[in-house]
Amino acid sequence: MVLALGTLVCEPVVHAQAPNDLIVEAREAFRKKDRDRLALARAQAAASQHPLTMWVDYWELNNRLTEVSQPEVDAFYARWRDTYVEDRLRNDWLLELGLRRDWANFAVDFPRFRMNDDREVTCYALLTEHMKGKDVRDAALAAWFAQKDSDDGCNLLAATLVDAKVFGAADVLRKARLSIDASRPRAARQAAALVSLDAASRVQELTDSAPRFLSRNKPVRGSRVDAELATMALIRMASNDPEAAALALRERWERVLPADLASWAWAATAKQSAMKLLPDAADHYQHAARVFARHDDSPLDWPADTMAWKARAALRADAGQGRWEQVLQAIDAMGSAERRDATWVYWRARALEALAQEGPEGDAQRAHARHLLSTIAGQLSFYGALASEALGEPFALPAPPRALTPEERAAAAAQPGLTRGLLLASLGLRDEGRREWNYSLRGMSDRELLAAAAMACEVRDWQLCINTSERTRSEIDLAQRFPTPYREEIWQRARELDLDPHYVMGLIRQETRFMPSLRSHAGASGLMQVMPATAKWVARKMGLEYSPDMISDPSTNLRLGTGYLKMVLEAFEGSQAMAAAAYNAGPNRPRRWREGPWLETAAWAENIPFSETRDYVKKVLSNASIYAALGNGEAPVLRPRLGRLIGPRPTDSPLPDKDLP
């Protein structure tokens, strides 16, 4: 039986008496919490021995999880031992046991949790360890501080450790401050409630209107709680109006607050200024560091993203010349994981090189900078390519791995989880298919990953193909990582519009991994993820007859997408970086982002305020350089795609089309 969705085709073994519609209907019944339909679907799937019966069983049991007992869950585990749904249900059941405060069954089940990737489950587990008398303070603080959304597990852990005097008021107030800094006011209120109900009420007040809170509240001298709340109000104010927060700090609050809190408020103001690309951001960061120095000699304790934006602001400072010493200070103050990231390895090397003395005195520092670049050079990434080119050593493309043997292919095909993943994806249940697939990849060697990727490639599931192949470490198959489906059509459309086809390929790879059936949460559809309103506008501009259903057709989608890409390239004087940013975030944003100092393109891209767009631009350009290298048989070259500098629109360039969506 052949199942198809768009271009994705696979041939699983499916029994005729159990049509795959049953699985799709069961998933819909699960979404609607239709208990009767789920029970019937479970019985039908089991009777026909459908290969996805376990999923229907999982949906049916999960739908009534609040009512079941441990023996029924144990029976499910036994039915589907060593499968993804067994571990998925264990995750769900551990959360339910935590809500029930059933610590005996939790303690038995938790050690069997293979994925162990749920922070709330981790908080419950740490709580059970605390109950046994173990010291969990450091791990518990890390889990609680990293909590993104308010949840029962981490809140219960924190409340218990506060009651036990393991966490003190300083820990609680820091959690509240971190939450306000991360724009999570609910988590801040819950943390403040551990100090007092009055503190929680005042967090709500400062969340509603930080300026009003600051005007009404005068900290009592020596009251740390009052000082913390004022700091949170300043952080909240900075998120909306960093210039107003800076003014409030200068006129009053820097003198009133303890140095460590005044420094944090200045750093938060600096971060928001940097994210809004304001010219004072680097100065605010410098002032924050000077204020902190009045506190003590301990290292800066600002959040990781605050440090990252300090480095970015320094790259933009001094009319785009950069404050390299400040870049270096910011990176050196980051955590070890952040410092190892290729982004900061590259910019640290650039800072060291810029700050090195002329002549022999600076040779050692320049050598160290080159060593840092060498550690990332050759990576198939934006900064890996820039590092290679900075060293004057463009890297050769990895040699193709030896061909997969029939035995390796057969071993992959014999993996039930991989087969189920492809089948789920082919039925439109991509989230379930991806999770099943990724669970099956755990612990695989490079050769096993290549064989699994080959399975996905063969059925044209390019998303699973590329993502799986990218997991390999030493054996790199560029044909898998950078496939060329729709090549002839892409080349044809690119030639018609005088576009670089490699740039188009690089953009599509980042947009959809060449999956024409994908649809974003925002409503963008098709191969090039075109929004319906944009499709209609572009069709009219191109003189094409258009109806909404045409957007899902790969050929039409490609024509509309390349047409729009051509328009945004023209609107940004041919800059591939700005056009990619416009394609992802809309043209009005990069129009604002280009205002200010003239910057080298890498520094401009690194300062894009949206993390998704920042990552997108870098990957599109890197993808394009690799596609060009594969097409030309040469080493990838990235820098020519960056152009020279990015800055305000030249006065002699044509005015942009204000209607461009």
Side-chain angles (χ1 to χ4, degrees), residues 248-300:
L249 278 162
R250 279 194 296 268
E251 291 188 342
R252 179 187 182 200
W253 291 100
E254 180 184 326
R255 297 187 301 277
V256 173
L257 294 173
D260 62 320
L261 294 182
S263 167
W264 189 299
W266 268 114
T269 300
K271 179 183 74 172
Q272 295 297 334
S273 298
M275 293 175 69
K276 291 176 173 58
L277 308 181
L278 298 178
D280 292 335
D283 290 336
H284 291 340
Y285 269 117
Q286 282 191 322
H287 189 70
R290 286 195 293 268
V291 172
F292 187 84
R294 301 203 297 262
H295 171 59
D296 58 32
D297 294 329
S298 60
L300 290 170

Short mmCIF file of all heavy atoms in Angstrom, two decimals, residues 248-300:
data_model
loop_
_atom_site.label_atom_id
_atom_site.label_comp_id
_atom_site.label_asym_id
_atom_site.label_seq_id
_atom_site.Cartn_x
_atom_site.Cartn_y
_atom_site.Cartn_z
N ALA A 248 15.70 57.46 34.77
CA ALA A 248 15.32 57.21 36.17
C ALA A 248 16.52 56.78 37.00
O ALA A 248 16.68 57.18 38.16
CB ALA A 248 14.22 56.15 36.22
N LEU A 249 17.38 55.96 36.42
CA LEU A 249 18.58 55.53 37.13
C LEU A 249 19.51 56.70 37.40
O LEU A 249 20.03 56.86 38.51
CB LEU A 249 19.29 54.44 36.32
CG LEU A 249 18.74 53.03 36.46
CD1 LEU A 249 19.20 52.14 35.32
CD2 LEU A 249 19.17 52.43 37.80
N ARG A 250 19.73 57.52 36.39
CA ARG A 250 20.65 58.66 36.55
C ARG A 250 20.13 59.65 37.58
O ARG A 250 20.89 60.17 38.40
CB ARG A 250 20.86 59.35 35.20
CG ARG A 250 21.87 58.68 34.29
CD ARG A 250 22.27 59.61 33.15
NE ARG A 250 21.13 59.89 32.27
CZ ARG A 250 20.82 59.19 31.19
NH1 ARG A 250 21.57 58.15 30.85
NH2 ARG A 250 19.78 59.52 30.45
N GLU A 251 18.83 59.92 37.52
CA GLU A 251 18.29 60.98 38.37
C GLU A 251 18.10 60.55 39.82
O GLU A 251 18.13 61.39 40.72
CB GLU A 251 16.95 61.47 37.79
CG GLU A 251 17.11 62.23 36.48
CD GLU A 251 15.81 62.86 36.03
OE1 GLU A 251 14.72 62.44 36.52
OE2 GLU A 251 15.86 63.77 35.17
N ARG A 252 17.88 59.25 40.05
CA ARG A 252 17.63 58.86 41.42
C ARG A 252 18.11 57.48 41.81
O ARG A 252 18.85 57.32 42.78
CB ARG A 252 16.12 58.94 41.70
CG ARG A 252 15.78 58.53 43.12
CD ARG A 252 14.30 58.45 43.36
NE ARG A 252 14.04 58.10 44.75
CZ ARG A 252 12.90 57.59 45.20
NH1 ARG A 252 11.92 57.38 44.36
NH2 ARG A 252 12.75 57.30 46.47
N TRP A 253 17.70 56.47 41.04
CA TRP A 253 17.75 55.11 41.56
C TRP A 253 19.15 54.54 41.68
O TRP A 253 19.41 53.69 42.53
CB TRP A 253 16.87 54.19 40.71
CG TRP A 253 15.42 54.53 40.93
CD1 TRP A 253 14.61 55.28 40.13
CD2 TRP A 253 14.64 54.17 42.07
NE1 TRP A 253 13.37 55.41 40.69
CE2 TRP A 253 13.35 54.74 41.88
CE3 TRP A 253 14.89 53.44 43.23
CZ2 TRP A 253 12.33 54.58 42.80
CZ3 TRP A 253 13.87 53.28 44.15
CH2 TRP A 253 12.61 53.84 43.93
N GLU A 254 20.09 55.01 40.87
CA GLU A 254 21.47 54.51 41.02
C GLU A 254 22.02 54.85 42.40
O GLU A 254 22.78 54.09 42.99
CB GLU A 254 22.37 55.09 39.93
CG GLU A 254 23.81 54.63 40.02
CD GLU A 254 24.72 55.29 39.01
OE1 GLU A 254 24.25 55.57 37.88
OE2 GLU A 254 25.90 55.52 39.34
N ARG A 255 21.63 56.00 42.95
CA ARG A 255 22.11 56.41 44.27
C ARG A 255 21.38 55.69 45.40
O ARG A 255 21.93 55.48 46.47
CB ARG A 255 21.95 57.93 44.44
CG ARG A 255 22.75 58.76 43.47
CD ARG A 255 22.66 60.24 43.80
NE ARG A 255 21.28 60.74 43.78
CZ ARG A 255 20.65 61.12 42.68
NH1 ARG A 255 21.26 61.05 41.50
NH2 ARG A 255 19.41 61.57 42.75
N VAL A 256 20.13 55.32 45.15
CA VAL A 256 19.30 54.73 46.18
C VAL A 256 19.55 53.23 46.34
O VAL A 256 19.56 52.70 47.46
CB VAL A 256 17.81 54.99 45.88
CG1 VAL A 256 16.90 54.24 46.85
CG2 VAL A 256 17.52 56.49 45.90
N LEU A 257 19.77 52.54 45.23
CA LEU A 257 19.89 51.09 45.25
C LEU A 257 21.28 50.63 45.66
O LEU A 257 22.28 51.35 45.43
CB LEU A 257 19.58 50.52 43.86
CG LEU A 257 18.15 50.68 43.35
CD1 LEU A 257 18.06 50.21 41.90
CD2 LEU A 257 17.17 49.91 44.21
N PRO A 258 21.40 49.42 46.23
CA PRO A 258 22.73 48.83 46.44
C PRO A 258 23.44 48.69 45.09
O PRO A 258 22.79 48.53 44.04
CB PRO A 258 22.40 47.46 47.04
CG PRO A 258 21.02 47.57 47.58
CD PRO A 258 20.31 48.56 46.72
N ALA A 259 24.77 48.72 45.12
CA ALA A 259 25.53 48.76 43.87
C ALA A 259 25.25 47.55 42.98
O ALA A 259 25.17 47.69 41.75
CB ALA A 259 27.03 48.84 44.18
N ASP A 260 25.08 46.36 43.58
CA ASP A 260 24.87 45.19 42.74
C ASP A 260 23.53 45.27 42.01
O ASP A 260 23.42 44.87 40.83
CB ASP A 260 24.95 43.90 43.57
CG ASP A 260 23.89 43.82 44.65
OD1 ASP A 260 23.61 44.85 45.29
OD2 ASP A 260 23.33 42.72 44.85
N LEU A 261 22.50 45.81 42.67
CA LEU A 261 21.20 45.92 42.02
C LEU A 261 21.17 47.09 41.04
O LEU A 261 20.56 46.98 39.96
CB LEU A 261 20.10 46.08 43.07
CG LEU A 261 19.88 44.87 43.99
CD1 LEU A 261 18.73 45.13 44.96
CD2 LEU A 261 19.61 43.61 43.17
N ALA A 262 21.81 48.19 41.39
CA ALA A 262 21.89 49.31 40.45
C ALA A 262 22.61 48.87 39.17
O ALA A 262 22.22 49.22 38.05
CB ALA A 262 22.61 50.49 41.09
N SER A 263 23.67 48.07 39.35
CA SER A 263 24.41 47.56 38.20
C SER A 263 23.52 46.67 37.33
O SER A 263 23.52 46.77 36.10
CB SER A 263 25.63 46.76 38.68
OG SER A 263 26.20 46.02 37.64
N TRP A 264 22.74 45.79 37.98
CA TRP A 264 21.86 44.89 37.22
C TRP A 264 20.81 45.70 36.45
O TRP A 264 20.52 45.41 35.28
CB TRP A 264 21.18 43.91 38.18
CG TRP A 264 20.42 42.81 37.50
CD1 TRP A 264 19.37 42.94 36.65
CD2 TRP A 264 20.66 41.40 37.59
NE1 TRP A 264 18.92 41.72 36.22
CE2 TRP A 264 19.70 40.76 36.79
CE3 TRP A 264 21.57 40.64 38.31
CZ2 TRP A 264 19.62 39.37 36.67
CZ3 TRP A 264 21.50 39.25 38.18
CH2 TRP A 264 20.55 38.63 37.38
N ALA A 265 20.25 46.73 37.09
CA ALA A 265 19.25 47.57 36.42
C ALA A 265 19.87 48.28 35.21
O ALA A 265 19.25 48.38 34.14
CB ALA A 265 18.66 48.58 37.40
N TRP A 266 21.10 48.77 35.37
CA TRP A 266 21.79 49.40 34.23
C TRP A 266 22.05 48.37 33.13
O TRP A 266 21.90 48.68 31.94
CB TRP A 266 23.10 50.02 34.69
CG TRP A 266 23.01 51.46 35.10
CD1 TRP A 266 23.19 51.98 36.35
CD2 TRP A 266 22.70 52.56 34.25
NE1 TRP A 266 23.02 53.34 36.33
CE2 TRP A 266 22.71 53.74 35.05
CE3 TRP A 266 22.41 52.69 32.89
CZ2 TRP A 266 22.46 55.00 34.53
CZ3 TRP A 266 22.14 53.96 32.37
CH2 TRP A 266 22.17 55.09 33.18
N ALA A 267 22.44 47.14 33.51
CA ALA A 267 22.72 46.11 32.51
C ALA A 267 21.45 45.73 31.75
O ALA A 267 21.48 45.52 30.54
CB ALA A 267 23.33 44.88 33.18
N ALA A 268 20.33 45.64 32.48
CA ALA A 268 19.06 45.33 31.81
C ALA A 268 18.67 46.46 30.86
O ALA A 268 18.17 46.22 29.75
CB ALA A 268 17.96 45.11 32.85
N THR A 269 18.90 47.70 31.29
CA THR A 269 18.64 48.85 30.42
C THR A 269 19.54 48.81 29.20
O THR A 269 19.10 49.09 28.07
CB THR A 269 18.86 50.16 31.21
OG1 THR A 269 17.97 50.18 32.33
CG2 THR A 269 18.62 51.37 30.35
N ALA A 270 20.80 48.45 29.42
CA ALA A 270 21.75 48.35 28.30
C ALA A 270 21.31 47.27 27.32
O ALA A 270 21.38 47.44 26.10
CB ALA A 270 23.15 48.06 28.84
N LYS A 271 20.87 46.13 27.86
CA LYS A 271 20.43 45.03 26.97
C LYS A 271 19.25 45.47 26.11
O LYS A 271 19.24 45.24 24.89
CB LYS A 271 20.05 43.81 27.80
CG LYS A 271 19.57 42.63 26.95
CD LYS A 271 19.13 41.44 27.76
CE LYS A 271 17.79 41.68 28.41
NZ LYS A 271 17.24 40.45 29.05
N GLN A 272 18.26 46.09 26.73
CA GLN A 272 17.11 46.54 25.96
C GLN A 272 17.50 47.61 24.95
O GLN A 272 16.99 47.64 23.83
CB GLN A 272 16.02 47.05 26.90
CG GLN A 272 15.42 45.99 27.81
CD GLN A 272 14.71 44.90 27.04
OE1 GLN A 272 14.22 45.11 25.92
NE2 GLN A 272 14.63 43.71 27.62
N SER A 273 18.43 48.47 25.32
CA SER A 273 18.93 49.48 24.37
C SER A 273 19.63 48.80 23.20
O SER A 273 19.46 49.21 22.04
CB SER A 273 19.90 50.43 25.08
OG SER A 273 19.26 51.14 26.11
N ALA A 274 20.41 47.76 23.50
CA ALA A 274 21.11 47.04 22.43
C ALA A 274 20.13 46.34 21.51
O ALA A 274 20.29 46.34 20.28
CB ALA A 274 22.08 46.04 23.05
N MET A 275 19.09 45.73 22.09
CA MET A 275 18.11 45.02 21.27
C MET A 275 17.31 45.98 20.39
O MET A 275 16.80 45.59 19.34
CB MET A 275 17.18 44.20 22.16
CG MET A 275 17.89 43.06 22.87
SD MET A 275 16.83 42.17 24.03
CE MET A 275 15.69 41.37 22.91
N LYS A 276 17.21 47.22 20.83
CA LYS A 276 16.53 48.25 20.02
C LYS A 276 17.54 49.03 19.17
O LYS A 276 17.17 50.01 18.52
CB LYS A 276 15.74 49.19 20.93
CG LYS A 276 14.52 48.52 21.57
CD LYS A 276 13.81 49.44 22.55
CE LYS A 276 12.50 48.81 23.05
NZ LYS A 276 12.66 47.51 23.70
N LEU A 277 18.80 48.58 19.19
CA LEU A 277 19.87 49.15 18.38
C LEU A 277 20.07 50.64 18.67
O LEU A 277 20.40 51.42 17.78
CB LEU A 277 19.60 48.92 16.89
CG LEU A 277 19.31 47.47 16.48
CD1 LEU A 277 19.08 47.37 14.98
CD2 LEU A 277 20.43 46.53 16.90
N LEU A 278 19.91 51.02 19.94
CA LEU A 278 20.11 52.42 20.32
C LEU A 278 21.60 52.71 20.50
O LEU A 278 22.37 51.85 20.95
CB LEU A 278 19.35 52.71 21.62
CG LEU A 278 17.82 52.54 21.54
CD1 LEU A 278 17.18 52.81 22.90
CD2 LEU A 278 17.22 53.44 20.47
N PRO A 279 22.02 53.92 20.20
CA PRO A 279 23.46 54.23 20.21
C PRO A 279 24.09 54.25 21.59
O PRO A 279 25.31 54.14 21.71
CB PRO A 279 23.53 55.63 19.57
CG PRO A 279 22.16 56.21 19.76
CD PRO A 279 21.22 55.06 19.70
N ASP A 280 23.29 54.39 22.66
CA ASP A 280 23.85 54.48 24.01
C ASP A 280 24.08 53.13 24.65
O ASP A 280 24.56 53.07 25.80
CB ASP A 280 22.91 55.29 24.91
CG ASP A 280 22.84 56.76 24.51
OD1 ASP A 280 23.82 57.24 23.91
OD2 ASP A 280 21.82 57.40 24.81
N ALA A 281 23.76 52.03 23.97
CA ALA A 281 23.80 50.71 24.61
C ALA A 281 25.18 50.39 25.17
O ALA A 281 25.31 49.96 26.33
CB ALA A 281 23.36 49.64 23.62
N ALA A 282 26.22 50.57 24.38
CA ALA A 282 27.57 50.22 24.85
C ALA A 282 27.98 51.09 26.04
O ALA A 282 28.62 50.62 26.98
CB ALA A 282 28.58 50.36 23.71
N ASP A 283 27.59 52.38 26.01
CA ASP A 283 27.90 53.26 27.14
C ASP A 283 27.18 52.79 28.41
O ASP A 283 27.74 52.81 29.51
CB ASP A 283 27.49 54.70 26.82
CG ASP A 283 28.38 55.33 25.77
OD1 ASP A 283 29.54 54.89 25.63
OD2 ASP A 283 27.92 56.27 25.09
N HIS A 284 25.93 52.39 28.26
CA HIS A 284 25.18 51.88 29.42
C HIS A 284 25.86 50.65 30.00
O HIS A 284 25.92 50.49 31.23
CB HIS A 284 23.75 51.55 29.01
CG HIS A 284 22.90 52.74 28.66
ND1 HIS A 284 23.20 54.02 29.08
CD2 HIS A 284 21.75 52.84 27.94
CE1 HIS A 284 22.28 54.85 28.63
NE2 HIS A 284 21.38 54.17 27.94
N TYR A 285 26.34 49.76 29.13
CA TYR A 285 27.03 48.57 29.62
C TYR A 285 28.30 48.95 30.39
O TYR A 285 28.60 48.37 31.45
CB TYR A 285 27.38 47.64 28.45
CG TYR A 285 26.33 46.62 28.14
CD1 TYR A 285 25.67 46.62 26.91
CD2 TYR A 285 25.99 45.62 29.06
CE1 TYR A 285 24.70 45.67 26.61
CE2 TYR A 285 25.03 44.67 28.76
CZ TYR A 285 24.38 44.70 27.54
OH TYR A 285 23.43 43.75 27.25
N GLN A 286 29.06 49.89 29.86
CA GLN A 286 30.27 50.31 30.55
C GLN A 286 29.94 50.90 31.92
O GLN A 286 30.62 50.63 32.91
CB GLN A 286 31.03 51.33 29.70
CG GLN A 286 31.81 50.71 28.55
CD GLN A 286 32.75 51.71 27.91
OE1 GLN A 286 32.43 52.88 27.76
NE2 GLN A 286 33.93 51.25 27.51
N HIS A 287 28.88 51.69 31.96
CA HIS A 287 28.49 52.29 33.24
C HIS A 287 28.03 51.22 34.22
O HIS A 287 28.36 51.27 35.41
CB HIS A 287 27.38 53.32 33.02
CG HIS A 287 27.08 54.12 34.23
ND1 HIS A 287 27.94 55.07 34.75
CD2 HIS A 287 26.01 54.11 35.08
CE1 HIS A 287 27.43 55.61 35.82
NE2 HIS A 287 26.25 55.04 36.06
N ALA A 288 27.29 50.23 33.73
CA ALA A 288 26.84 49.13 34.60
C ALA A 288 28.03 48.41 35.22
O ALA A 288 28.01 48.05 36.40
CB ALA A 288 25.99 48.16 33.80
N ALA A 289 29.07 48.18 34.43
CA ALA A 289 30.26 47.50 34.94
C ALA A 289 30.96 48.35 36.00
O ALA A 289 31.45 47.83 37.02
CB ALA A 289 31.21 47.17 33.80
N ARG A 290 31.01 49.67 35.77
CA ARG A 290 31.65 50.55 36.76
C ARG A 290 30.86 50.56 38.07
O ARG A 290 31.44 50.56 39.16
CB ARG A 290 31.78 51.96 36.20
CG ARG A 290 32.86 52.13 35.15
CD ARG A 290 33.19 53.58 34.91
NE ARG A 290 32.08 54.28 34.30
CZ ARG A 290 31.91 54.43 32.98
NH1 ARG A 290 32.80 53.90 32.14
NH2 ARG A 290 30.88 55.10 32.50
N VAL A 291 29.53 50.57 37.96
CA VAL A 291 28.70 50.55 39.17
C VAL A 291 28.91 49.24 39.92
O VAL A 291 29.03 49.23 41.15
CB VAL A 291 27.22 50.74 38.80
CG1 VAL A 291 26.32 50.51 40.02
CG2 VAL A 291 26.99 52.14 38.24
N PHE A 292 28.98 48.12 39.19
CA PHE A 292 29.18 46.83 39.84
C PHE A 292 30.52 46.78 40.55
O PHE A 292 30.65 46.17 41.62
CB PHE A 292 29.10 45.69 38.82
CG PHE A 292 29.13 44.32 39.45
CD1 PHE A 292 27.96 43.75 39.93
CD2 PHE A 292 30.31 43.62 39.58
CE1 PHE A 292 27.98 42.50 40.52
CE2 PHE A 292 30.34 42.36 40.18
CZ PHE A 292 29.16 41.80 40.65
N ALA A 293 31.53 47.42 39.99
CA ALA A 293 32.86 47.42 40.60
C ALA A 293 32.84 48.06 41.99
O ALA A 293 33.71 47.77 42.82
CB ALA A 293 33.85 48.14 39.70
N ARG A 294 31.84 48.91 42.24
CA ARG A 294 31.74 49.51 43.58
C ARG A 294 31.17 48.51 44.59
O ARG A 294 31.22 48.74 45.79
CB ARG A 294 30.81 50.74 43.52
CG ARG A 294 31.28 51.82 42.57
CD ARG A 294 30.71 53.18 42.95
NE ARG A 294 29.26 53.24 42.87
CZ ARG A 294 28.59 53.73 41.84
NH1 ARG A 294 29.26 54.20 40.77
NH2 ARG A 294 27.28 53.78 41.85
N HIS A 295 30.62 47.41 44.08
CA HIS A 295 29.99 46.40 44.95
C HIS A 295 31.05 45.52 45.60
O HIS A 295 31.21 45.50 46.81
CB HIS A 295 29.01 45.58 44.12
CG HIS A 295 28.44 44.38 44.80
ND1 HIS A 295 27.74 44.46 45.98
CD2 HIS A 295 28.47 43.07 44.46
CE1 HIS A 295 27.35 43.26 46.35
NE2 HIS A 295 27.79 42.39 45.45
N ASP A 296 31.78 44.78 44.80
CA ASP A 296 32.90 43.97 45.29
C ASP A 296 33.69 43.48 44.08
O ASP A 296 33.44 43.90 42.95
CB ASP A 296 32.43 42.79 46.16
CG ASP A 296 31.46 41.87 45.44
OD1 ASP A 296 31.60 41.71 44.20
OD2 ASP A 296 30.59 41.29 46.10
N ASP A 297 34.64 42.61 44.32
CA ASP A 297 35.51 42.13 43.23
C ASP A 297 35.01 40.84 42.60
O ASP A 297 35.73 40.22 41.82
CB ASP A 297 36.93 41.91 43.77
CG ASP A 297 37.58 43.22 44.19
OD1 ASP A 297 37.24 44.26 43.59
OD2 ASP A 297 38.40 43.20 45.13
N SER A 298 33.79 40.40 42.93
CA SER A 298 33.28 39.14 42.37
C SER A 298 32.96 39.32 40.89
O SER A 298 32.75 40.44 40.41
CB SER A 298 32.03 38.70 43.13
OG SER A 298 31.02 39.68 43.02
N PRO A 299 32.91 38.21 40.14
CA PRO A 299 32.60 38.31 38.70
C PRO A 299 31.17 38.81 38.49
O PRO A 299 30.29 38.62 39.33
CB PRO A 299 32.75 36.86 38.21
CG PRO A 299 33.50 36.15 39.27
CD PRO A 299 33.19 36.83 40.55
N LEU A 300 30.95 39.45 37.35
CA LEU A 300 29.61 39.88 36.99
C LEU A 300 28.67 38.68 36.96
O LEU A 300 29.04 37.60 36.47
CB LEU A 300 29.62 40.55 35.62
CG LEU A 300 30.30 41.93 35.53
CD1 LEU A 300 30.44 42.35 34.08
CD2 LEU A 300 29.52 42.97 36.31
#
